[in-house]
Amino acid sequence: DIVEKNNMRLQELINEILDLSKIESGMMEFNYAPVSLYTLCEDVKNTYSFRCQPGVELVFEESDPSLVISTDRNRLFQVFSNLIGNATKFTAKGSISFGYKLTEKEIVFHIADTGSGISDDKIDKIFDRFYQTEHLNSLNTGAGTGIGLALTKGIVELHHGTIRVESEPGKGSSFIITLKLGNQHFTEEQIVKE
C-alpha cells in the first residue's frame, strides 16, 4: 500500500514538472469544449470529500447550476485539485469551501479553508516554483514539492485569468480566481438550442 501510494505521488510529481515545463516553454495545449461548472465542481467534491482530515468538511457552496463555459475541463479540474489538495493538507479542523459566481464581466472562483494560514512575508512567494512555507510539515500530512501553486497560476494565466490569495496565520486562507468572459461564455440553454 505504501509503495503504491508513493508510486502514485511520484507519477503526479513527474506530470506536474512536465506541465510546468510546457507552460514555461509556451507549449501547453488546451482542449476547449463546453463545460458545466456545476458538474465539474460536484466531481471535485466527490473526489476530495474523502481526502479531508477527520472532522473537516468539504463544502461546495451555492453556485449557478446553469453556467457553462468553453474551457479545458481537465485543466480547470487540475486547478481545483491543486488548491483543494493543499487545503486538505493544512486544514486540521473546520471546513474547506469552494464555489463560483458570475458577475457582469467575469467568473469568480473561490477556495477557502480554516487551516493554518500563511504569514504576510510568505504570501508573495507561494506561487514561486519549489517554494514551501515553513509550516508545511506541521500537520505531518506529507509536504509537497512547491510545484502545484506555480502550475495553478500558470494554467489560470493561460486562461487570461488572475489568481490571488488572502490569508491570516491560524485562521485560514482564501484563493480567488477571476476569469474574464469573452465570446466563450455559454449557458446550458444556449448549448441545448445549438
Side-chain angles (χ1 to χ4, degrees):
D1 190 40
I2 291 171
V3 170
E4 185 177 342
K5 285 181 181 176
N6 284 334
N7 281 341
M8 287 176 61
R9 181 57 195 135
L10 181 59
Q11 185 177 3
E12 289 172 2
L13 175 60
I14 292 169
N15 288 336
E16 286 177 345
I17 292 171
L18 290 172
D19 283 344
L20 196 57
S21 297
K22 287 178 186 176
I23 287 174
E24 292 177 346
S25 64
M27 296 180 67
M28 178 170 272
E29 295 180 359
F30 292 93
N31 297 310
Y32 288 95
V35 174
S36 164
L37 292 183
Y38 196 86
T39 302
L40 174 73
C41 288
E42 283 188 322
D43 290 346
V44 169
K45 183 177 180 182
N46 291 336
T47 300
Y48 282 92
S49 288
F50 302 104
R51 298 187 189 185
C52 293
Q53 298 184 56
V56 176
E57 183 182 9
L58 180 61
V59 180
F60 174 28
E61 296 182 341
E62 185 176 341
S63 300
D64 182 355
S66 69
L67 188 57
V68 175
I69 64 171
S70 181
T71 188
D72 186 315
R73 187 185 194 284
N74 291 334
R75 293 303 180 191
L76 194 55
F77 190 93
Q78 190 174 11
V79 166
F80 276 108
S81 292
N82 285 338
L83 295 174
I84 293 176
N86 275 353
T88 62
K89 293 176 187 175
F90 310 128
T91 306
K93 60 182 180 179
S95 64
I96 300 165
S97 59
F98 70 104
Y100 59 88
K101 65 180 179 180
L102 175 65
T103 67
E104 205 171 299
K105 296 182 179 179
E106 56 197 20
I107 301 170
V108 181
F109 300 89
H110 67 277
I111 298 96
D113 64 63
T114 57
S116 52
I118 307 161
S119 60
D120 289 342
D121 61 325
K122 306 288 192 301
I123 287 274
D124 293 338
K125 301 175 185 175
I126 63 165
F127 292 108
D128 292 349
R129 288 178 302 159
F130 307 114
Y131 182 80
Q132 298 183 56
T133 58
E134 294 170 2
H135 70 271
L136 286 186
N137 285 314
S138 63
L139 297 177
N140 197 26
T141 56
T145 56
I147 295 175
L149 288 179
L151 180 58
T152 297
K153 183 181 181 190
I155 292 171
V156 168
E157 289 179 347
L158 285 174
H159 276 85
H160 307 291
T162 60
I163 183 170
R164 63 186 172 87
V165 60
E166 299 170 355
S167 187
E168 188 174 342
K171 293 192 175 180
S173 303
S174 181
F175 288 83
I176 299 98
I177 298 167
T178 303
L179 298 181
K180 295 195 180 303
L181 295 177
N183 295 325
Q184 297 179 330
H185 167 238
F186 303 95
T187 66
E188 279 183 358
E189 292 79 12
Q190 288 172 317
I191 289 176
V192 170
K193 288 176 185 175
E194 293 173 1

